Amino acid sequence: MAAQVAVIDRSEAADWDEALWQQPAANIYASRSWGDYKGRLGWAVRRLALCDNGEDLAYIQCQERRAGPLRRVLVQGSPVLTTRGQSRAEAVLAAFLDHLALRPADLLAVKSYRPQDPEGITALLSHGFVPVIGGKDHTIELDLTPGAEAILAAADRRWRREVKKAEGQPDLTAVFLTDRDERLRAFDTFVRMYAALQQRKGFSSDLDTAAYRDLAASDPHLLFLEIREGGEPILVRIVHTARERWTDFFTASNERARATGAASFAVWRIVERACEAGAGRFDFGGVDPAGNRGVFDFKRTLSRNVVQGGPTWIYARNTFVRRAAATALFLRRI
């Protein structure tokens, strides 16, 4: 069956994003801008289309690194299956594995950031991938289909109170930024606020803000929202958008944001905009009730629907290597 699926390298194809973002499962991690970002961090990035009789079945952006004889391959965002590709998921994955031609010590990881469709899960299990899941691989989802008015009515009263409080302050404004220079300035504001937040709370981040800055500002699938008090930014929120799903990506704020209810105000303005755009889900971008209870409690005042965002799936031809890698990753997550 795998022989019927062709693997075509479209790394330089100008229409990669155009084709990708037409798919319901499209996500920022399979996009050209994210691939360019990872390329700046030293990964060799390829964009592959898997096809049958000229019809696309899936899009896979794979990242590769070598350390001596060891080869690591990472697929973030999972293979993005087309509607037809969903029924051919096992064949798609078989063709991809054949194309990689992994050696026994090579390692492949597929990371999903959203609940996966059953066909995709079946394909991974059928080929011997091992799922590794930790507490932080969970998120809170908000169903947008009832519409903004009904969502607000069903929200916790604390959420409604914070939104009303923010809306009652004439100096507080929510501004969606579309101009590239304004987005660059807002990204720099985010970086400063985020650095202060990291220092205050003592957490780390894998994001290389210098490498991502211009790519983020130019990405049409990243929504930039700035909350201003008296014209001065007090919060910056960045969300990645797709046809079916909008996902909270990064946010940072200063002390004035807490006093004014800016966090609830920002999320609510994004939810309203997502509803207007016809999105079906808003994803809070992860939860960690054990390590960050305050943020978790903030998020669940709007929705209590905690779901598994997706594991990391580990594959290696050698069973020992596969199990050892899965165990090491699991130990890092607990």
Side-chain angles (χ1 to χ4, degrees):
M1 181 179 286
Q4 300 175 8
V5 178
V7 180
I8 301 173
D9 194 315
R10 293 188 183 167
S11 300
E12 304 304 323
D15 64 348
W16 174 264
D17 275 359
E18 180 182 351
L20 173 74
W21 287 108
Q22 292 178 16
Q23 312 310 318
N27 60 82
I28 196 76
Y29 301 105
S31 71
R32 179 177 292 278
S33 66
W34 189 257
D36 290 345
Y37 165 64
K38 294 305 291 284
R40 292 178 179 182
L41 301 185
W43 292 84
V45 179
R46 289 186 295 153
R47 286 173 275 273
L48 306 174
L50 290 93
C51 314
D52 178 20
N53 293 322
E55 185 175 353
D56 292 347
L57 302 176
Y59 304 101
I60 301 177
Q61 180 164 255
C62 59
Q63 309 164 33
E64 185 174 316
R65 264 184 173 163
R66 293 179 182 269
L70 301 179
R71 176 186 175 202
R72 289 185 295 157
V73 181
L74 172 63
V75 177
Q76 288 184 282
S78 294
V80 177
L81 298 168
T82 66
T83 301
R84 183 167 178 232
Q86 289 179 358
S87 63
R88 302 285 308 281
E90 287 190 55
V92 164
L93 196 54
F96 178 55
L97 290 173
D98 286 347
H99 178 77
L100 290 178
L102 298 172
R103 295 172 299 180
D106 292 342
L107 191 65
L108 167 63
V110 175
K111 172 60 180 171
S112 174
Y113 296 88
R114 54 174 287 169
Q116 293 178 275
D117 65 89
E119 294 292 343
I121 293 174
T122 299
L124 290 159
L125 291 172
S126 297
H127 288 289
F129 282 74
V130 177
V132 180
I133 187 75
K136 294 181 181 180
D137 293 313
H138 294 77
T139 188
I140 287 181
E141 272 191 356
L142 174 66
D143 181 4
L144 299 176
T145 56
E149 186 175 335
I151 292 170
L152 187 59
D156 187 287
R157 61 183 178 82
R158 289 172 294 175
W159 183 272
R160 298 196 300 271
R161 184 176 65 238
E162 286 296 291
V163 171
K164 185 176 181 180
K165 170 185 172 182
E167 291 178 336
Q169 299 175 66
D171 284 348
L172 208 64
T173 55
V175 184
F176 289 98
L177 306 176
T178 56
D179 179 78
R180 186 175 183 275
D181 288 340
E182 283 193 333
R183 286 160 66 98
L184 285 169
R185 178 193 52 74
F187 193 86
D188 292 339
T189 300
F190 156 75
V191 169
R192 290 193 299 272
M193 290 179 176
Y194 199 68
L197 190 65
Q198 285 180 293
Q199 185 175 17
R200 187 166 70 250
K201 295 195 173 184
F203 66 91
S204 60
S205 172
D206 293 332
L207 180 69
D208 186 324
T209 53
Y212 195 45
R213 178 180 183 265
D214 63 309
L215 295 169
S218 302
D219 192 335
H221 290 278
L222 286 182
L223 186 75
F224 277 59
L225 173 63
E226 197 170 69
I227 303 299
R228 299 171 183 170
E229 183 184 34
E232 292 297 318
I234 61 173
L235 181 147
V236 177
R237 205 163 204 115
I238 303 173
V239 173
H240 54 88
T241 65
R243 281 175 51 189
E244 301 291 336
R245 190 181 194 86
W246 287 29
T247 305
D248 216 8
F249 203 19
F250 292 106
T251 188
S253 60
N254 61 22
E255 289 299 324
R256 285 301 303 162
R258 177 179 296 183
T260 59
S264 300
F265 187 43
V267 172
W268 186 244
R269 286 292 178 260
I270 289 167
V271 167
E272 290 178 326
R273 197 174 181 99
C275 289
E276 292 172 1
R281 292 286 185 275
F282 176 71
D283 181 338
F284 261 111
V287 290
D288 183 15
N292 198 338
R293 186 72 190 193
V295 172
F296 172 71
D297 286 339
F298 161 74
K299 292 177 179 181
R300 72 171 182 166
T301 55
L302 183 57
S303 172
R304 303 180 75 88
N305 184 30
V306 177
V307 300
Q308 182 178 302
T312 299
W313 295 85
I314 300 296
Y315 177 86
R317 283 177 52 200
N318 183 290
T319 303
F320 175 79
V321 172
R322 185 186 315 176
R323 290 175 178 171
T327 300
L329 180 59
F330 174 75
L331 292 174
R332 287 175 55 192
R333 295 195 172 194
I334 60 175

